[in-house]
């Protein structure tokens, strides 16, 4: 029972990421249509969560997990395509540090973070007291993973892996830092390892072929992928190169907006 959910989590992560990269690399005049169609898919996924909330089977856990991934993809498209980001769309001014820099950085993404938080609250409200918690837990895990990665980028990591970063969001790079290490990173990795182990143990303790076992295993797989993605921030490997094949756009020369280099 453990291998299929792990493979499914990996497959959904890989296909979902590749699809978002491909759609975001297409001409900008296609963005509105792509975002609307993805929104319809997200609504269908939300309906699927509603329909399976009271289902404790392993198949319902898969449906909830898939629905959360589809909704997450819609939010990521909204951000990467520039529809939902934040009121601040300017690079970080030179010499700005401390609380002022944090406020400016937060205002580049705050609308997107709020929209994700509202979606998470909606999922938990829909599934409150129900046996199938796959969708809200998956979505929450993705949300916290995103926040963890962004805080580490803000504080500074050796490897930004920003090759596929969209041109229209290039100003965000000015809020990143390149440095050997930051105080949060070891705790973030340790935390995600702990969540991976806890989810795995929860799966082992659940009845075989149950929805609870499938949900916990899917979350363990997703958390493990989160550990890998965090390690890519410090290892001399460019994980963004894994997705260049999915990009439909040819490389263009743009005005660079470089991150702050420390150390």
């Amino acid at each position: 029972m453990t291998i299929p959910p792990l493979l499914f989590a990996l497959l959904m992560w890989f296909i979902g990421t590749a699809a978002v990269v491909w759609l975001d690399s297409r001409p900008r005049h296609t963005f509105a249509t792509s975002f609307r169609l993805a929104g319809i898919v997200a609504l269908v996924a939300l309906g699927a969560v509603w329909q399976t909330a009271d289902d404790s089977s392993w198949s319902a856990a898969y449906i909830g997990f898939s629905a959360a991934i589809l909704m997450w993809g819609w939010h990521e498209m909204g951000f990467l395509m520039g529809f939902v980001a934040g009121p601040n769309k300017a690079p970080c001014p030179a010499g700005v540090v401390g609380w002022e820099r944090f406020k400016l950085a937060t205002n580049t993404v705050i609308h997107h973070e709020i929209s994700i938080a509202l979606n998470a609250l909606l999922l938990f409200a829909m599934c409150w007291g129900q046996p199938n918690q796959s969708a809200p837990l998956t979505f929450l895990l993705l949300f916290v993973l995103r926040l963890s990665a962004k805080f580490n980028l803000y504080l500074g990591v050796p490897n930004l892996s920003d090759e596929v970063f969209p041109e229209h969001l290039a100003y965000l790079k000015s809020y990143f830092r390149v440095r050997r290490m930051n105080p949060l990173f070891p705790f973030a990795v340790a935390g995600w390892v702990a969540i991976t182990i806890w989810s795995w143990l929860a799966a082992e303790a659940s009845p075989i072929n149950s929805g609870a076992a499938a949900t916990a295993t899917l979350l363990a797989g997703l958390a493990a992928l989160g550990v890998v993605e965090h390690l890519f921030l410090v290892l001399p490997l460019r994980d963004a190169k894994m997705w260049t094949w999915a990009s439909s756009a040819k490389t263009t020369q743009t005005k660079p907006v470089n991150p702050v280099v420390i150390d």
Side-chain angles (χ1 to χ4, degrees):
M1 181 64 189
T2 57
I3 301 302
L6 291 176
L7 292 177
F8 187 78
L10 176 61
L11 185 64
M12 287 295 296
W13 169 81
F14 185 81
I15 293 177
T17 303
V20 171
V21 169
W22 182 74
L23 289 169
D24 184 55
S25 64
R26 298 183 69 212
R28 292 197 68 176
H29 67 81
T30 67
F31 285 4
T33 299
S34 296
F35 188 55
R36 291 192 195 101
L37 292 176
I40 294 173
V41 172
L43 285 175
V44 173
L46 192 65
V49 173
W50 176 264
Q51 289 295 320
T52 59
D54 60 351
D55 190 341
S56 60
S57 67
W58 64 267
S59 58
Y62 277 71
I63 291 173
F65 181 85
S66 301
I69 296 293
L70 291 172
M71 283 183 275
W72 183 263
W74 177 61
H75 282 282
E76 285 299 284
M77 287 174 61
F79 175 70
L80 293 172
M81 292 178 176
F83 293 119
V84 185
N88 180 19
K89 302 183 184 303
C92 185
V96 174
V97 296
W99 178 245
E100 186 63 26
R101 176 174 173 262
F102 180 78
K103 288 194 298 182
L104 290 173
T106 300
N107 282 330
T108 62
V109 296
I110 189 62
H111 293 163
H112 186 236
E113 307 306 328
I114 290 174
S115 68
I116 294 175
L118 290 175
N119 198 154
L121 288 174
L122 176 60
L123 289 174
F124 274 101
M126 291 172 60
C127 298
W128 190 263
Q130 299 295 328
N132 185 7
Q133 297 292 318
S134 180
L137 291 177
T138 299
F139 199 87
L140 179 63
L141 184 62
L142 289 168
F143 188 20
V144 180
L145 270 171
R146 172 187 169 83
L147 290 176
S148 177
K150 288 202 173 300
F151 272 114
N152 275 287
L153 286 169
Y154 172 81
L155 294 173
V157 291
N159 183 15
L160 300 179
S161 289
D162 55 0
E163 290 88 348
V164 295
F165 214 72
E167 175 188 351
H168 50 275
L169 294 179
Y171 62 90
L172 291 175
K173 297 180 185 180
S174 65
Y175 296 92
F176 300 162
R177 281 177 170 170
V178 177
R179 64 193 306 182
R180 294 191 186 96
M181 183 58 63
N182 70 73
L184 174 64
F185 186 81
F187 295 98
V189 172
W192 290 115
V193 170
I195 291 174
T196 301
I197 295 172
W198 178 81
S199 299
W200 184 267
L201 293 176
E204 291 294 311
S206 300
I208 297 176
N209 293 329
S210 66
T215 297
T217 308
L218 288 165
L219 293 175
L222 198 58
L225 288 170
V227 173
V228 173
E229 289 191 333
H230 275 67
L231 292 177
F232 271 124
L233 297 176
V234 298
L235 296 176
L237 300 170
R238 310 292 288 184
D239 66 318
K241 291 185 180 297
M242 292 192 303
W243 309 111
T244 53
W245 63 270
S247 176
S248 65
K250 296 183 181 297
T251 302
T252 58
Q253 295 296 325
T254 61
K255 182 179 178 180
V257 180
N258 296 321
V260 175
V261 179
I262 300 178
D263 298 338

